[in-house]
Structure formats: C-alpha cells, structure tokens
Amino acid sequence: MSPRRSAVEAKLTYTTIVARATEIASEEGLEGVTIGRLAADLRMSKSGVLGHFGAKESLQLAALRHALRMFEQQVVERAGREQPGLPRLLALCEAWIDFLATVDLPGGCVLTAASTEFDGKPGQVHDVVAEAWAGWRETLGAEVARAVTDGDLPELEVEQVVFELVAIGPAVNQALQLHGDRDAVRHAHRAVRRTLGLSS
C-alpha cells in the first residue's frame, strides 16, 4: 500500500469514527462516547480506535468540535451573509432555531446537551463547551449592540437581552427532544421578537 493511499484511508477512518461519536453524543451525551463503544459500533479493534485518538477525552473533544463545526457552518456562516445589526441578529436567531429543529443528529444538538452534562465537571471538555457558549453570547451581544446603535432596537440592556436570547435555545431543544413538541419552533421565533421588543 502506498503512503498516500494509507494516509487517505486513515483520514477516512478518522472521519467515520468522529461522525459516529457525534451521533452517540447527541443521543447519550459525551460520556457515552467511549473507545469500546466506537470499536463495537464500527467493527474495529479498540487499538484501531486508540490509534487515532489515544484516550476517551480526545475522542469526546473530536466529537464536540465536529458538532461545533456543524453549528458554525449552519448558523454563524449562514447568518453572516446578512447586514450587521438587526438583520444579522434576526438571521442568527432564526438559523439557530432552525438548526435545533433540523440538525442531522439523532438526539439533537450536542452543544446544548453538553452545556448541562459538563457544567459541573472540570476538564478540557468543560472548557471547550464553556468557550463555545461564551463565543455565542459574544456574537449575539455584538449584533444587539449594533442594532441599538443603529436605532433599529430601543435602548435595551444588552447583557439582559443576550441572557434571554440564549435561554431560548435550550428551551427549544428540550421541547423538541424530550416532548416532541414541534410548536416549540414557532414559539421560539415569537420569543425572539418579544425579547427584542419587536412585534411578534
């Protein structure tokens, strides 16, 4: 086997492992992502999985970062095409709600679930989750502030608005995943507009 073919196959195996790990994380949490589980699901040896990741935490981090890339592409990049301020803020919120409702994972958004699974567990996974949520709050806050400066929103307290907007996402995810409530999407869109002081 040529070195190039070997590298391509190794990359494909890595991608396959990460994709399956992300699916497991969405259904069972990141703690459900283990070397043994992945080896069994993918019909690989444990040493084969270990060769790519070395430890359970590395595997969890790879799944988490894969989920974050999905979020970045489907929410942040999609909304980034809109003008800064209110148009982009509304697009971010709309894309986020749509992402929670349509994400191509069997158990919903990994990041939303991980925020409760790891909120009290110190370590690198906790730190990545915390950093991701902090970045999302910062993104929303920048657009709220811009919308206020542009005069498209009333003089709102930015931190309070961001707090309320961020709270909508987990509520939608819970309603969808725990209760199968498809009306949650409509309620969430209305909640965004009410939080921003816009007509619902």
Coordinates of all heavy atoms in Angstrom, one line a residue, residues 107-196:
G107 N -30.1 12.7 18.2 CA -30.6 13.2 19.5 C -30.5 14.7 19.7 O -30.6 15.2 20.8
G108 N -30.4 15.4 18.6 CA -30.4 16.9 18.7 C -29.0 17.5 18.9 O -28.0 16.8 18.7
C109 N -29.0 18.7 19.3 CA -27.7 19.5 19.4 C -26.8 19.0 20.5 O -27.2 19.0 21.7 CB -28.1 21.0 19.6 SG -26.7 22.1 19.8
V110 N -25.6 18.6 20.1 CA -24.6 18.1 21.1 C -24.2 19.3 22.1 O -24.1 19.0 23.3 CB -23.4 17.6 20.4 CG1 -22.2 17.3 21.3 CG2 -23.7 16.4 19.5
L111 N -24.0 20.4 21.5 CA -23.5 21.5 22.4 C -24.5 21.9 23.5 O -24.2 22.2 24.6 CB -23.2 22.8 21.5 CG -22.6 24.0 22.3 CD1 -21.3 23.6 23.0 CD2 -22.4 25.1 21.3
T112 N -25.8 21.9 23.1 CA -26.8 22.2 24.1 C -26.9 21.2 25.2 O -26.9 21.5 26.4 CB -28.2 22.3 23.4 OG1 -28.2 23.3 22.4 CG2 -29.3 22.6 24.4
A113 N -26.8 19.9 24.8 CA -26.8 18.8 25.8 C -25.5 18.9 26.7 O -25.6 18.7 27.9 CB -26.9 17.5 25.1
A114 N -24.4 19.2 26.0 CA -23.1 19.2 26.8 C -23.1 20.3 27.8 O -22.3 20.2 28.8 CB -22.0 19.3 25.8
S115 N -23.8 21.4 27.6 CA -23.8 22.5 28.5 C -24.3 22.1 29.9 O -24.0 22.7 30.9 CB -24.6 23.7 27.9 OG -26.0 23.4 27.8
T116 N -25.2 21.1 29.9 CA -25.7 20.7 31.2 C -24.9 19.4 31.7 O -24.7 19.3 32.9 CB -27.2 20.3 31.2 OG1 -27.4 19.4 30.1 CG2 -28.0 21.6 30.9
E117 N -24.5 18.6 30.7 CA -23.7 17.4 31.1 C -22.4 17.8 31.7 O -21.9 17.0 32.6 CB -23.5 16.6 29.8 CG -22.8 15.2 30.1 CD -22.5 14.5 28.8 OE1 -22.8 15.0 27.7 OE2 -22.1 13.3 28.9
F118 N -21.8 18.8 31.3 CA -20.4 19.2 31.7 C -20.3 20.5 32.5 O -19.2 20.9 32.8 CB -19.4 19.2 30.5 CG -19.0 17.8 30.1 CD1 -19.8 17.1 29.2 CD2 -17.8 17.3 30.6 CE1 -19.4 15.8 28.8 CE2 -17.4 16.0 30.2 CZ -18.2 15.3 29.3
D119 N -21.5 21.0 32.9 CA -21.4 22.3 33.6 C -20.7 22.2 34.9 O -20.1 23.2 35.4 CB -22.8 23.0 33.7 CG -23.7 22.1 34.5 OD1 -23.4 21.0 34.8 OD2 -24.9 22.6 34.7
G120 N -20.7 21.1 35.5 CA -20.1 20.9 36.8 C -18.9 20.0 36.8 O -18.4 19.6 37.9
K121 N -18.4 19.7 35.6 CA -17.3 18.7 35.5 C -16.0 19.5 35.0 O -16.0 19.8 33.8 CB -17.6 17.6 34.6 CG -18.8 16.7 35.1 CD -19.1 15.6 34.0 CE -20.3 14.8 34.5 NZ -20.6 13.8 33.4
P122 N -15.0 19.7 35.8 CA -13.8 20.3 35.3 C -13.1 19.5 34.3 O -13.2 18.3 34.3 CB -13.0 20.5 36.6 CG -13.5 19.4 37.5 CD -14.9 19.2 37.2
G123 N -12.3 20.2 33.5 CA -11.6 19.4 32.5 C -11.6 20.1 31.1 O -12.3 21.2 30.9
Q124 N -11.0 19.5 30.1 CA -10.8 20.2 28.8 C -12.2 20.2 28.1 O -12.5 21.2 27.4 CB -9.8 19.4 28.0 CG -9.3 20.2 26.8 CD -8.1 19.6 26.1 OE1 -7.6 18.6 26.6 NE2 -7.7 20.2 25.0
V125 N -13.0 19.2 28.2 CA -14.3 19.2 27.6 C -15.1 20.3 28.1 O -15.8 21.1 27.3 CB -15.0 17.8 27.7 CG1 -16.4 17.9 27.1 CG2 -14.2 16.7 27.1
H126 N -15.2 20.4 29.4 CA -15.9 21.6 30.1 C -15.4 22.9 29.5 O -16.2 23.8 29.2 CB -15.7 21.5 31.6 CG -16.1 22.8 32.3 ND1 -15.3 23.9 32.4 CD2 -17.2 23.1 33.0 CE1 -15.9 24.8 33.0 NE2 -17.1 24.4 33.4
D127 N -14.1 23.0 29.4 CA -13.6 24.3 28.9 C -14.0 24.6 27.5 O -14.2 25.8 27.2 CB -12.0 24.3 29.1 CG -11.6 24.2 30.5 OD1 -12.4 24.5 31.4 OD2 -10.4 23.9 30.7
V128 N -14.0 23.6 26.6 CA -14.4 23.9 25.2 C -15.8 24.2 25.1 O -16.2 25.1 24.4 CB -14.0 22.6 24.4 CG1 -14.6 22.8 23.0 CG2 -12.5 22.4 24.3
V129 N -16.7 23.5 25.9 CA -18.1 23.8 25.9 C -18.3 25.3 26.4 O -19.1 26.0 25.8 CB -18.9 22.8 26.8 CG1 -20.3 23.3 27.0 CG2 -18.8 21.4 26.2
A130 N -17.7 25.6 27.5 CA -17.8 27.0 28.1 C -17.3 28.0 27.1 O -18.0 29.1 27.0 CB -17.0 27.1 29.4
E131 N -16.2 27.8 26.4 CA -15.7 28.7 25.5 C -16.7 28.9 24.3 O -16.9 30.0 23.8 CB -14.3 28.3 25.0 CG -13.7 29.2 24.0 CD -12.3 28.7 23.5 OE1 -11.8 27.7 24.1 OE2 -11.8 29.3 22.6
A132 N -17.3 27.8 23.9 CA -18.2 27.9 22.7 C -19.4 28.7 23.1 O -19.9 29.6 22.3 CB -18.6 26.5 22.3
W133 N -20.0 28.5 24.3 CA -21.1 29.3 24.7 C -20.8 30.7 24.9 O -21.6 31.6 24.6 CB -21.8 28.7 26.0 CG -22.7 27.5 25.7 CD1 -22.4 26.2 25.8 CD2 -24.0 27.6 25.2 NE1 -23.5 25.4 25.4 CE2 -24.5 26.3 25.0 CE3 -24.8 28.7 24.8 CZ2 -25.8 26.0 24.6 CZ3 -26.1 28.4 24.4 CH2 -26.6 27.1 24.2
A134 N -19.6 31.0 25.5 CA -19.2 32.4 25.6 C -19.0 33.1 24.3 O -19.4 34.2 24.1 CB -17.8 32.4 26.4
G135 N -18.5 32.4 23.3 CA -18.4 32.9 22.0 C -19.7 33.2 21.3 O -19.9 34.2 20.7
W136 N -20.7 32.3 21.6 CA -22.0 32.6 21.0 C -22.7 33.8 21.7 O -23.3 34.6 21.0 CB -22.9 31.3 21.2 CG -24.3 31.4 20.8 CD1 -25.4 31.1 21.5 CD2 -24.8 31.7 19.5 NE1 -26.5 31.2 20.8 CE2 -26.2 31.6 19.5 CE3 -24.2 32.1 18.3 CZ2 -27.0 31.9 18.4 CZ3 -24.9 32.3 17.2 CH2 -26.3 32.2 17.2
R137 N -22.5 33.9 23.0 CA -23.1 35.1 23.7 C -22.4 36.4 23.2 O -23.1 37.4 23.0 CB -22.9 35.0 25.2 CG -23.7 33.9 25.9 CD -23.8 34.1 27.4 NE -22.4 34.1 28.0 CZ -21.8 33.0 28.4 NH1 -22.4 31.8 28.3 NH2 -20.6 33.0 28.9
E138 N -21.1 36.3 22.9 CA -20.4 37.5 22.4 C -20.9 37.8 21.0 O -21.1 39.0 20.7 CB -18.9 37.2 22.4 CG -18.1 38.4 21.9 CD -16.6 38.0 22.0 OE1 -16.2 37.1 22.7 OE2 -15.8 38.7 21.2
T139 N -21.1 36.8 20.2 CA -21.7 37.1 18.8 C -23.0 37.7 18.9 O -23.3 38.7 18.2 CB -21.8 35.7 18.0 OG1 -20.4 35.2 17.9 CG2 -22.4 35.9 16.7
L140 N -23.9 37.2 19.7 CA -25.2 37.8 19.8 C -25.1 39.2 20.4 O -25.8 40.1 19.9 CB -26.1 36.9 20.7 CG -26.5 35.6 20.2 CD1 -27.3 34.8 21.2 CD2 -27.4 35.7 18.9
G141 N -24.3 39.4 21.4 CA -24.2 40.7 22.0 C -23.7 41.8 21.1 O -24.2 42.9 21.1
A142 N -22.8 41.4 20.2 CA -22.2 42.4 19.3 C -23.3 42.9 18.3 O -23.4 44.1 18.0 CB -21.1 41.8 18.5
E143 N -24.2 42.0 17.9 CA -25.3 42.3 17.0 C -26.4 43.1 17.7 O -27.0 44.0 17.1 CB -25.8 41.1 16.2 CG -24.8 40.3 15.4 CD -24.0 41.2 14.4 OE1 -24.6 42.2 14.0 OE2 -22.9 40.8 14.1
V144 N -26.7 42.7 18.9 CA -27.7 43.5 19.7 C -27.2 44.9 19.9 O -27.9 45.9 19.6 CB -27.9 42.9 21.1 CG1 -28.8 43.8 21.9 CG2 -28.6 41.5 20.9
A145 N -25.9 45.1 20.3 CA -25.4 46.4 20.5 C -25.4 47.2 19.2 O -25.7 48.4 19.2 CB -23.9 46.3 21.0
R146 N -25.0 46.6 18.1 CA -25.0 47.3 16.8 C -26.5 47.7 16.4 O -26.7 48.9 15.9 CB -24.5 46.4 15.7 CG -24.5 46.9 14.3 CD -23.6 48.2 14.1 NE -23.7 48.7 12.8 CZ -22.8 48.3 11.8 NH1 -21.9 47.5 12.0 NH2 -23.0 48.8 10.6
A147 N -27.4 46.9 16.7 CA -28.8 47.2 16.3 C -29.3 48.4 17.2 O -30.1 49.2 16.7 CB -29.7 46.0 16.5
V148 N -28.9 48.4 18.4 CA -29.3 49.5 19.3 C -28.6 50.8 18.8 O -29.3 51.9 18.7 CB -28.9 49.3 20.8 CG1 -29.1 50.5 21.6 CG2 -29.7 48.1 21.3
T149 N -27.3 50.7 18.5 CA -26.6 51.9 18.0 C -27.2 52.4 16.6 O -27.3 53.6 16.4 CB -25.1 51.6 17.7 OG1 -24.6 51.1 19.0 CG2 -24.4 52.7 17.2
D150 N -27.7 51.5 15.8 CA -28.2 51.9 14.5 C -29.6 52.4 14.7 O -30.2 53.0 13.7 CB -28.3 50.7 13.6 CG -26.9 50.2 13.1 OD1 -25.9 51.0 13.3 OD2 -26.8 49.1 12.5
G151 N -30.2 52.3 15.8 CA -31.6 52.8 16.1 C -32.7 51.8 15.6 O -33.8 52.2 15.6
D152 N -32.3 50.6 15.3 CA -33.2 49.5 14.9 C -33.9 48.8 16.1 O -34.9 48.2 15.9 CB -32.6 48.5 14.0 CG -32.1 49.1 12.7 OD1 -32.8 50.0 12.2 OD2 -31.1 48.7 12.1
L153 N -33.3 49.0 17.3 CA -33.8 48.5 18.5 C -33.9 49.6 19.5 O -33.0 50.5 19.5 CB -33.0 47.3 19.0 CG -33.1 46.0 18.3 CD1 -32.1 45.0 19.0 CD2 -34.5 45.4 18.2
P154 N -34.8 49.5 20.5 CA -34.8 50.6 21.5 C -33.6 50.4 22.4 O -32.8 49.5 22.3 CB -36.1 50.2 22.3 CG -36.4 48.8 22.0 CD -35.9 48.6 20.6
E155 N -33.4 51.3 23.3 CA -32.3 51.3 24.3 C -32.5 50.1 25.2 O -33.0 50.2 26.3 CB -32.2 52.6 25.0 CG -31.7 53.8 24.2 CD -30.3 53.6 23.8 OE1 -29.5 53.0 24.5 OE2 -29.9 54.2 22.7
L156 N -32.0 49.0 24.8 CA -32.1 47.8 25.6 C -30.8 47.5 26.4 O -29.7 48.0 26.0 CB -32.3 46.6 24.7 CG -33.6 46.6 23.8 CD1 -33.6 45.4 22.8 CD2 -34.8 46.5 24.7
E157 N -30.9 46.8 27.5 CA -29.7 46.4 28.2 C -29.2 45.1 27.5 O -29.8 44.0 27.6 CB -30.1 46.0 29.7 CG -28.9 45.7 30.5 CD -29.4 45.3 31.9 OE1 -30.5 45.5 32.3 OE2 -28.5 44.6 32.6
V158 N -28.0 45.3 26.9 CA -27.5 44.2 26.0 C -27.3 42.9 26.7 O -27.7 41.9 26.2 CB -26.2 44.7 25.4 CG1 -25.5 43.6 24.6 CG2 -26.4 45.9 24.5
E159 N -26.7 43.0 27.9 CA -26.5 41.7 28.6 C -27.8 41.0 29.0 O -27.8 39.7 28.9 CB -25.6 42.0 29.9 CG -24.2 42.4 29.6 CD -23.4 42.6 30.9 OE1 -23.9 42.3 32.0 OE2 -22.2 43.0 30.8
Q160 N -28.8 41.7 29.4 CA -30.1 41.1 29.7 C -30.7 40.5 28.5 O -31.2 39.4 28.5 CB -31.0 42.1 30.3 CG -32.4 41.6 30.7 CD -32.3 40.6 31.8 OE1 -31.4 40.7 32.7 NE2 -33.2 39.6 31.8
V161 N -30.6 41.2 27.3 CA -31.2 40.7 26.1 C -30.5 39.4 25.7 O -31.1 38.4 25.3 CB -31.1 41.7 25.0 CG1 -31.5 41.1 23.6 CG2 -32.1 42.9 25.3
V162 N -29.2 39.4 25.7 CA -28.4 38.2 25.4 C -28.8 37.0 26.3 O -28.9 35.9 25.8 CB -26.9 38.5 25.4 CG1 -26.1 37.2 25.3 CG2 -26.5 39.5 24.3
F163 N -28.9 37.3 27.6 CA -29.3 36.3 28.5 C -30.6 35.6 28.1 O -30.7 34.4 28.1 CB -29.4 36.9 29.9 CG -29.7 35.9 31.0 CD1 -28.7 35.2 31.7 CD2 -31.1 35.6 31.3 CE1 -29.1 34.2 32.7 CE2 -31.4 34.7 32.3 CZ -30.4 34.0 33.0
E164 N -31.5 36.4 27.8 CA -32.9 35.9 27.4 C -32.8 35.2 26.1 O -33.5 34.1 25.9 CB -33.9 37.0 27.4 CG -34.1 37.6 28.8 CD -35.1 38.8 28.8 OE1 -35.9 38.9 27.8 OE2 -35.1 39.6 29.7
L165 N -32.1 35.7 25.1 CA -32.0 35.0 23.8 C -31.3 33.6 24.0 O -31.8 32.7 23.4 CB -31.2 35.9 22.8 CG -31.8 37.1 22.3 CD1 -30.9 37.9 21.4 CD2 -33.1 36.8 21.6
V166 N -30.2 33.6 24.7 CA -29.5 32.3 24.9 C -30.4 31.3 25.6 O -30.4 30.1 25.3 CB -28.2 32.6 25.7 CG1 -27.6 31.2 26.2 CG2 -27.2 33.3 24.9
A167 N -31.3 31.7 26.5 CA -32.2 30.8 27.2 C -33.2 30.2 26.3 O -33.7 29.1 26.6 CB -32.9 31.6 28.3
I168 N -33.5 30.8 25.2 CA -34.5 30.2 24.2 C -34.0 28.9 23.6 O -34.8 28.0 23.5 CB -34.8 31.3 23.1 CG1 -35.6 32.5 23.8 CG2 -35.7 30.7 22.0 CD1 -35.7 33.7 22.8
G169 N -32.7 28.9 23.3 CA -32.2 27.7 22.6 C -32.4 26.4 23.4 O -33.0 25.4 22.8
P170 N -31.9 26.3 24.6 CA -32.1 25.1 25.4 C -33.6 24.7 25.6 O -33.9 23.6 25.6 CB -31.4 25.4 26.7 CG -30.3 26.4 26.3 CD -31.0 27.2 25.3
A171 N -34.4 25.8 25.7 CA -35.8 25.5 25.9 C -36.4 24.8 24.6 O -37.2 23.9 24.7 CB -36.6 26.8 26.2
V172 N -36.0 25.3 23.4 CA -36.5 24.7 22.2 C -36.0 23.3 22.1 O -36.7 22.4 21.7 CB -35.9 25.5 21.0 CG1 -36.3 24.8 19.7 CG2 -36.5 26.9 21.0
N173 N -34.7 23.1 22.4 CA -34.1 21.8 22.3 C -34.8 20.8 23.2 O -35.1 19.6 22.8 CB -32.6 21.8 22.6 CG -31.9 20.6 22.1 OD1 -31.7 20.3 20.9 ND2 -31.4 19.8 23.1
Q174 N -35.1 21.2 24.4 CA -35.8 20.3 25.3 C -37.2 20.0 24.9 O -37.6 18.8 24.9 CB -35.9 20.9 26.7 CG -36.5 20.0 27.8 CD -36.7 20.8 29.1 OE1 -37.7 21.6 29.2 NE2 -35.9 20.5 30.0
A175 N -37.9 21.0 24.4 CA -39.3 20.8 23.9 C -39.3 19.8 22.7 O -40.2 18.9 22.6 CB -39.9 22.1 23.5
L176 N -38.3 20.0 21.8 CA -38.3 19.1 20.7 C -37.9 17.7 21.0 O -38.5 16.7 20.6 CB -37.3 19.7 19.6 CG -37.7 21.0 18.9 CD1 -36.6 21.6 18.2 CD2 -38.9 20.7 18.0
Q177 N -36.8 17.6 21.8 CA -36.2 16.3 22.0 C -36.9 15.5 23.1 O -37.1 14.3 23.0 CB -34.7 16.4 22.4 CG -33.9 17.0 21.3 CD -33.9 16.2 20.0 OE1 -33.9 15.0 20.0 NE2 -33.9 16.9 18.9
L178 N -37.3 16.2 24.2 CA -38.0 15.5 25.3 C -39.5 15.3 25.1 O -40.0 14.2 25.5 CB -37.8 16.3 26.6 CG -38.2 15.6 27.9 CD1 -37.4 14.3 28.1 CD2 -37.9 16.6 29.1
H179 N -40.1 16.3 24.5 CA -41.6 16.2 24.4 C -42.1 16.1 22.9 O -43.3 15.9 22.7 CB -42.2 17.5 25.0 CG -41.8 17.7 26.4 ND1 -42.3 16.9 27.4 CD2 -41.1 18.6 27.0 CE1 -41.8 17.3 28.6 NE2 -41.1 18.4 28.4
G180 N -41.2 16.2 22.0 CA -41.6 16.1 20.5 C -42.5 17.2 20.1 O -43.4 17.0 19.3
D181 N -42.4 18.4 20.8 CA -43.3 19.5 20.6 C -42.8 20.3 19.4 O -41.9 21.2 19.5 CB -43.3 20.3 21.8 CG -44.2 21.5 21.7 OD1 -45.0 21.6 20.7 OD2 -44.2 22.4 22.6
R182 N -43.4 20.1 18.2 CA -43.0 20.9 17.0 C -43.4 22.3 17.1 O -42.9 23.2 16.4 CB -43.5 20.2 15.8 CG -43.1 18.8 15.6 CD -41.6 18.5 15.6 NE -40.9 19.3 14.6 CZ -39.5 19.3 14.4 NH1 -38.8 18.5 15.2 NH2 -39.0 20.0 13.5
D183 N -44.4 22.6 17.9 CA -44.8 24.0 18.1 C -43.8 24.9 18.7 O -43.8 26.1 18.7 CB -46.1 24.1 18.9 CG -47.3 23.6 18.1 OD1 -47.3 23.7 16.9 OD2 -48.3 23.3 18.7
A184 N -42.8 24.2 19.3 CA -41.7 25.0 20.0 C -41.0 25.9 19.1 O -40.5 26.9 19.5 CB -40.7 24.0 20.7
V185 N -40.8 25.5 17.8 CA -40.1 26.3 16.8 C -40.9 27.6 16.6 O -40.3 28.7 16.7 CB -40.0 25.6 15.5 CG1 -39.4 26.5 14.4 CG2 -39.1 24.3 15.7
R186 N -42.2 27.6 16.5 CA -43.0 28.8 16.3 C -42.9 29.7 17.6 O -42.8 30.9 17.5 CB -44.4 28.4 16.0 CG -45.4 29.6 15.9 CD -46.8 29.1 15.4 NE -47.3 28.0 16.2 CZ -48.0 28.2 17.3 NH1 -48.2 29.4 17.8 NH2 -48.5 27.1 17.9
H187 N -43.0 29.0 18.7 CA -42.9 29.8 20.0 C -41.6 30.4 20.1 O -41.5 31.6 20.6 CB -43.2 28.8 21.2 CG -44.5 28.2 21.2 ND1 -45.7 28.9 21.0 CD2 -45.0 27.0 21.6 CE1 -46.7 28.2 21.1 NE2 -46.3 27.0 21.5
A188 N -40.5 29.8 19.7 CA -39.2 30.3 19.9 C -39.0 31.6 19.0 O -38.4 32.6 19.4 CB -38.1 29.3 19.5
H189 N -39.5 31.5 17.8 CA -39.4 32.7 16.9 C -40.1 33.9 17.5 O -39.7 35.0 17.4 CB -39.9 32.3 15.5 CG -39.0 31.5 14.7 ND1 -37.7 31.9 14.3 CD2 -39.2 30.2 14.1 CE1 -37.2 30.9 13.6 NE2 -38.0 29.9 13.5
R190 N -41.3 33.6 18.0 CA -42.1 34.7 18.7 C -41.3 35.2 19.9 O -41.3 36.4 20.2 CB -43.5 34.2 19.1 CG -44.4 33.9 17.9 CD -45.7 33.4 18.3 NE -46.5 34.4 19.1 CZ -47.6 34.2 19.7 NH1 -48.1 32.9 19.8 NH2 -48.2 35.1 20.4
A191 N -40.7 34.3 20.7 CA -40.0 34.7 21.9 C -38.8 35.6 21.5 O -38.5 36.6 22.3 CB -39.5 33.5 22.6
V192 N -38.2 35.4 20.4 CA -37.0 36.2 20.0 C -37.5 37.6 19.7 O -36.9 38.6 20.2 CB -36.4 35.6 18.7 CG1 -35.4 36.6 18.1 CG2 -35.6 34.3 19.1
R193 N -38.6 37.7 19.0 CA -39.1 39.1 18.6 C -39.6 39.8 19.9 O -39.4 41.0 20.0 CB -40.1 39.0 17.6 CG -39.6 38.4 16.3 CD -40.7 38.5 15.1 NE -40.9 39.8 14.7 CZ -40.1 40.5 13.9 NH1 -39.1 40.0 13.3 NH2 -40.4 41.8 13.6
R194 N -40.2 39.1 20.8 CA -40.7 39.8 22.0 C -39.5 40.2 22.9 O -39.5 41.3 23.5 CB -41.6 38.8 22.8 CG -42.9 38.6 22.2 CD -43.8 37.7 23.0 NE -45.2 37.6 22.4 CZ -46.1 36.9 23.0 NH1 -46.0 36.4 24.2 NH2 -47.3 36.8 22.4
T195 N -38.5 39.4 23.0 CA -37.3 39.8 23.7 C -36.6 41.0 23.2 O -36.1 41.9 23.9 CB -36.3 38.6 23.7 OG1 -36.9 37.5 24.3 CG2 -35.0 39.0 24.5
L196 N -36.7 41.2 21.8 CA -36.1 42.3 21.2 C -37.0 43.5 21.1 O -36.6 44.6 20.6 CB -35.6 41.9 19.8 CG -34.6 40.8 19.7 CD1 -34.3 40.5 18.2 CD2 -33.3 41.3 20.4

